[in-house]
Each structure stands twice: as structure tokens, then as C-alpha cells.
Amino acid sequence: MRKLIYGVNLSLDGCCDHTRFGGADDVHDYFRELLEGADLVLYGRKTYELMVPFWPEIAKTQSMDETGNAFARVFAGLKRVVVSQTIDSVDDKQTTVIRDNLKEEILKLKQQPGKAISTGGVELPAKLIELGLIDEFHMVVHPVFVGQGRRLFTEMSLPENQELKLAGSQTLSSGCVVLRYELESLG
């Protein structure tokens, strides 16, 4: 079964609002490498609309620096699924829409052959965690306090604690620390 991998950037005070802080080239490289191990990205509407058409357009124009362009090329080659009650269709041949039966639809995706599935954002991953569907977590902690902005999982509700096992850590040249966790049962 394919792994569902969640990657997110966080400040030291738990902010995950991309408008409050940004990542250096090594962070883009880290997420590019993570996406190279996937062949499908899964997003909620808000994250999808941040990523598409922005990154596919950068892949075409190659209008960023080499790190941004490399990330864009990898992202543009991936299949995409957007989970949304408000989007009926998308103008992107690589994207499909899931509207209902989230758990069943994600389990179907995980059972298909292929590489890992990558997800990001906040609301959808929180729901996927509640449903026990995320297998691996990549938390990129930035050495900054921002004092305000959206916090990770402020509205998530779990019936019981989900125990995680540290599967690896890495310090990037920018000072960001990557913490990679797996569900304890996968260990």
C-alpha cells in the first residue's frame, strides 16, 4: 500500500501560515526531494489554489531561481487530487476532484500502484490524521518566532493519542530542522 506523507513548514511557535515566514533554497530542495518520491499530491481547496496554477506556470516559464524552477518542474509532473465541496471541476488535466466519501476515496488511492502520495496544508491533513490515514510526517521547523498567524491543528479532534516514532531528523543549512515521524504501528 502506498504511503500518505504529510509535509509542513512550522515556526518555533507553531505557526504554519506561509505569509508569515518563508523558506530558503534548502527548504525548497527538501520538499522537491520529498515530491520526487511521490507521484500524486492531495490537497484541500485552499492549498490547491495556492499551488495550482502557480507552480505549473513556473515550470513552463522557468521564471524563478534554479531551486524554485527545479521544484516547479517536479510539481508540474505530478498527478493532483483536490478535496473540495465547492469545486465542481478544474481546468487542469492532471487534477481530479474528490467531493464525498473522503476515507473511502483516500483508501482507494493508497491501494493503487505507484509511489507515495504527498499532502500539505492544514485543514485536510487534520481530517486525514483524525481518520488515521497519514503514514508519515515531515515537520520542517524554522528558527523563527512569528507571534501570530494560523496555528497547526487548532481544531483537530482525536479519539485517542496517535503515537509517533521519530524516523529521522536533519538540520538544513538555513538552520531549519526536519523531523520525520511515522505512526508507531508502521515502525
Side-chain angles (χ1 to χ4, degrees), residues 126-132 155-162:
K127 186 67 173 168
L128 296 171
I129 291 168
E130 288 175 354
L131 295 171
E155 298 177 21
M156 187 169 65
S157 175
L158 294 172
E160 60 185 39
N161 289 352
Q162 273 191 4

Side-chain angles (χ1 to χ4, degrees), residues 129-148:
I129 291 168
E130 288 175 354
L131 295 171
L133 295 171
I134 295 185
D135 303 297
E136 196 170 292
F137 301 80
H138 292 246
M139 312 304 242
V140 179
V141 183
H142 294 248
V144 62
F145 290 108
V146 296
Q148 59 183 344

Side-chain angles (χ1 to χ4, degrees), residues 129 132 134-137 158 160-166 181-187:
I129 291 168
I134 295 185
D135 303 297
E136 196 170 292
F137 301 80
L158 294 172
E160 60 185 39
N161 289 352
Q162 273 191 4
E163 298 293 326
L164 302 175
K165 176 183 139 193
L166 182 64
Y181 293 95
E182 294 177 346
L183 285 177
E184 189 66 38
S185 61
L186 291 177

Side-chain angles (χ1 to χ4, degrees), residues 6-7 24 29-30 45-46 50 62 65 67 72-73 88 105-106 109 112 123 135 159 184:
Y6 174 49
D29 284 339
Y30 182 82
R45 180 193 55 80
K46 292 176 188 173
L50 286 172
Q62 293 292 284
D65 63 16
T67 302
R73 286 189 300 270
D88 291 321
E105 293 298 324
I106 301 308
L109 291 173
Q112 292 174 357
E123 289 176 36
D135 303 297
E184 189 66 38

